[in-house]
Amino acid sequence: MTLEILAVQGIPEVVVGDSLAELIVAHAPSLLDGDVLVVTSKVVSKAEGQVVDGDRELAIDAETVRVVARRGDTRIVATRHGFVMAAAGVDASNVTKGEVVVLPVDSDASARLIRDGVRTLTGANVGVVVSDTFGRPWRVGVTDAAVGFAGLEGFDDLRGTVDPYGNDLRVTLTCTVDELAAAADLVKGKTNGVPVAIVRGLAIVLPPESPDVQGISGVVRPIDEDLFSLGTRDVLPARVDAVEFTGAPVDAERVTRALQAASLAAHPSGWHSLRFTVLPAIDFASMPAFADADVLASAATVIVPHLDDETTARDLLASGAAIENVLVALAIEQLGSCWIWPSAADAEGLPDYPLGIIAVGQPATS
């Protein structure tokens, strides 16, 4: 197999309203069926008006759903698209001073628009990958990865096949669109003014009539499968009291995992009588003892830490450490929490010897 990667030279400065398909066709070598166009997200954003005036940090704030890690001025964040990347993909390079470029709103839709436009203009059935630059955990340096694609399957799934030595492949799932993005950047570069490359020689483009069954959301690892959802130094700062929840239900398994963290707490005197009871938040929202706790109105569930019998000071200290572990673990699970106390010591409906209640839910703000 012969693979070619061709730079598309001469594309002028892209401005809002430009047709990227027309610009690519005007400057590309003759496009062939099966070619894959890799287009840097910056020109897609420029064509779609995703260039904003103002402060870069404010733009990062607007694009950020949650902070994953922070070191000085550097922020690794999860964007509204689900990407985990430095500065939410906000870029102040190759734009007029005082402006910044943010990622396209829907890069899959952008890729489809380019693909359809090229086919209309040339008849060629191409695939399209929209790329942006990502850092990698445990590796120095950056590489390009896909932020959207069309006309391709995202993965080459080898699970269930056998290698030449007869070994069963159980976990080999190659992200083809990321490999295409990284390969194309070898000819596009960061300072060459080449925003588009053609990858030729791979028989991977879907027929024109085939629907796009995958999108970039399928490449983003779900939060419940993410073993590194927070940087180590950022776990404790991630635990803040949620003042409002979305009202959406929460996955019981995530709550259970958080509760298991209680057993890891320091307990010099032991806390064998400490228990955690999980109850629906609605059971508490109407209680007079919690009338001032507005947070309960939108919480999904409530955790009640309580003791089996009368407490000693040592019991309370050990229980406090266990409860704090649970609160931090809830943050790791991307769940908001708020530890509150009833206004009456004998709040009806609570187990005996309660240590307050913990409201839990999807936080309404990051």
Side-chain angles (χ1 to χ4, degrees):
M1 181 181 69
T2 300
L3 180 67
E4 295 180 276
I5 306 174
L6 310 171
V8 179
Q9 305 276 1
I11 292 178
E13 176 68 19
V14 174
V15 297
V16 62
D18 277 348
S19 167
L20 291 177
E22 291 179 1
L23 289 173
I24 291 168
V25 168
H27 294 86
S30 297
L31 292 171
L32 306 177
D33 284 345
D35 284 350
V36 178
L37 296 170
V38 181
V39 184
T40 185
S41 65
K42 182 167 292 182
V43 294
V44 176
S45 292
K46 287 182 175 181
E48 295 178 352
Q50 291 294 100
V51 180
V52 298
D53 295 326
D55 183 76
R56 178 173 177 268
E57 296 302 313
L58 292 177
I60 295 171
D61 290 343
E63 295 290 302
T64 295
V65 173
R66 65 182 176 90
V67 175
V68 174
R70 189 192 305 265
R71 300 293 181 273
D73 294 334
T74 300
R75 280 187 281 172
I76 309 298
V77 306
T79 73
R80 50 193 169 79
H81 318 81
F83 308 138
V84 175
M85 58 196 312
V90 175
D91 198 343
S93 64
N94 294 306
V95 290
T96 304
K97 285 188 179 296
E99 293 181 337
V100 294
V101 180
V102 300
L103 290 174
V105 173
D106 183 346
S107 292
D108 288 333
S110 304
R112 289 193 295 269
L113 183 64
I114 295 170
R115 185 190 190 211
D116 292 344
V118 168
R119 187 165 66 248
T120 298
L121 293 168
T122 68
N125 177 37
V126 301
V128 176
V129 174
V130 179
S131 68
D132 200 75
T133 303
F134 281 70
R136 288 86 39 79
W138 309 294
R139 307 281 287 191
V140 176
V142 298
T143 186
D144 268 28
V147 294
F149 59 95
L152 304 163
E153 292 188 359
F155 301 97
D156 183 13
D157 191 351
L158 299 178
R159 295 172 296 182
T161 63
V162 178
D163 71 12
Y165 294 88
N167 300 303
D168 294 331
L169 300 179
R170 299 180 180 179
V171 297
T172 306
L173 183 67
T174 302
C175 188
T176 307
V177 290
D178 280 352
E179 290 188 322
L180 288 164
D185 199 50
L186 294 172
V187 300
K188 292 195 289 103
K190 306 299 183 191
T191 61
N192 299 333
V194 178
V196 182
I198 302 166
V199 180
R200 178 172 291 167
L202 295 173
I204 58 174
V205 175
L206 299 172
E209 63 275 9
S210 297
D212 285 313
V213 295
Q214 291 179 318
I216 199 62
S217 62
V219 177
V220 175
R221 190 181 299 277
I223 188 66
D224 59 348
E225 297 178 10
D226 187 354
L227 301 181
F228 308 97
S229 60
L230 288 170
T232 304
R233 299 180 196 171
D234 302 276
V235 171
L236 290 178
R239 204 229 70 75
V240 295
D241 285 334
V243 296
E244 184 180 1
F245 301 107
T246 65
V250 300
D251 185 349
E253 289 186 7
R254 292 161 72 182
V255 176
T256 298
R257 286 196 297 265
L259 288 173
Q260 290 169 348
S263 64
L264 302 175
H267 48 90
S269 65
W271 39 261
H272 302 296
S273 66
L274 178 64
R275 301 288 183 266
F276 292 91
T277 299
V278 180
L279 298 167
I282 194 171
D283 291 352
F284 293 86
S286 59
M287 283 188 185
F290 294 99
D292 296 331
D294 294 337
V295 69
L296 287 172
S298 55
T301 193
V302 160
I303 300 170
V304 184
H306 57 98
L307 293 160
D308 283 347
D309 47 34
E310 293 283 358
T311 63
T312 67
R314 289 185 302 175
D315 292 330
L316 289 175
L317 287 172
S319 297
I323 292 168
E324 177 68 10
N325 266 27
V326 171
L327 295 172
V328 172
L330 287 167
I332 294 172
E333 294 289 341
Q334 306 303 316
L335 295 174
S337 64
C338 186
W339 188 14
I340 56 180
W341 292 82
S343 58
D346 58 346
E348 184 180 351
L350 289 178
D352 291 338
Y353 310 111
L355 302 176
I357 67 172
I358 303 168
V360 180
Q362 297 288 350
T365 56
S366 59

